[in-house]
Amino acid sequence: MTAISILRGGSFFPRRTQTGFSDSGLISAVSVPLLLGLCSGAVVGLYSEAVPAALASLPLLSAAAIPETFWQALLKASQFIIAAGFLSASLFGVALIPLLGMLRGFVFGCVVAAVFSASAYAGLLHSLLMLGLPALLGFPSFILAACDSFRLSRGLWPSKRGARAGHLLGHALIVLLLTLAETFYTWLILPTVLEKFF
């Protein structure tokens, strides 16, 4: 299996799973609600002060909060992935996992919009370091984990019982590596950069 075949979705992603969903359909089931949550969160963050303030009081949900320990950083990076994993063991996961994606997008969009509203372009680089780079690692890992969780949950339905989640082990390894990368960035690299340059 070559890198090109992985990028093209060759043997790494089966074109149609035994759950009856194509790969594009599975990705849409997760990414579209996430995008809707992102847009609605951005609107709320721009025009409301109460919701971003409430999120700021919850360090695990606030994308702008910097974790103090490795375990806090790990939990913050993996909380939505863990939730998706739990939902994969439920028949209702096919309905709740897209809602989880919407929540993931809403929280991030709300915080980003609130930060931008407060500092505008003056804090653009600061926001990119705090929010943008972790999102480049966090969103792909969540989408991949959520798609596999959706497959597993759909496989619990009587008509689809016995269906597999594709290359689950390989996907889990990718999610783990991305999550650890995000964890070390927010725990070690980000505080050092902010301290030296900001």
Side-chain angles (χ1 to χ4, degrees):
M1 180 174 57
T2 65
I4 295 178
S5 68
I6 293 175
L7 292 173
R8 290 179 177 173
S11 58
F12 194 72
F13 289 101
R15 295 194 177 278
R16 183 165 291 275
T17 66
Q18 296 181 20
T19 59
F21 285 84
S22 66
D23 290 325
S24 60
L26 282 170
I27 294 174
S28 298
V30 175
S31 59
V32 170
L34 190 148
L35 183 60
L36 291 175
L38 190 66
C39 294
S40 60
V43 172
V44 171
L46 284 174
Y47 298 103
S48 171
E49 295 182 0
V51 176
L55 290 176
S57 66
L58 302 171
L60 280 179
L61 285 181
S62 177
I66 298 178
E68 297 179 356
T69 67
F70 170 81
W71 298 110
Q72 287 179 354
L74 181 61
L75 181 58
K76 183 179 177 181
S78 61
Q79 57 187 336
F80 287 100
I81 295 171
I82 293 172
F86 278 115
L87 292 176
S88 70
S90 169
L91 289 169
F92 302 104
V94 292
L96 296 178
I97 289 171
L99 292 179
L100 181 67
M102 185 175 290
L103 175 63
R104 174 77 168 92
F106 178 86
V107 169
F108 182 79
C110 187
V111 172
V112 170
V115 171
F116 181 80
S117 178
S119 59
Y121 292 101
L124 189 59
L125 180 58
H126 184 272
S127 300
L128 178 63
L129 291 172
M130 279 191 71
L131 305 171
L133 293 181
L136 288 178
L137 299 169
F139 277 112
S141 61
F142 171 76
I143 291 174
L144 187 56
C147 285
D148 278 339
S149 296
F150 191 98
R151 286 188 182 108
L152 290 171
S153 176
R154 186 73 175 93
L156 295 175
W157 287 35
S159 61
K160 303 295 180 182
R161 191 155 291 164
R164 298 176 299 171
H167 296 264
L168 185 60
L169 185 60
H171 293 182
L173 180 60
I174 294 173
V175 170
L176 177 61
L177 292 175
L178 288 173
T179 302
L180 287 176
E182 182 183 358
T183 298
F184 280 105
Y185 174 78
T186 56
W187 174 54
L188 285 178
I189 301 174
L190 180 59
T192 303
V193 171
L194 294 179
E195 183 179 353
K196 286 187 176 181
F197 298 102
F198 295 92

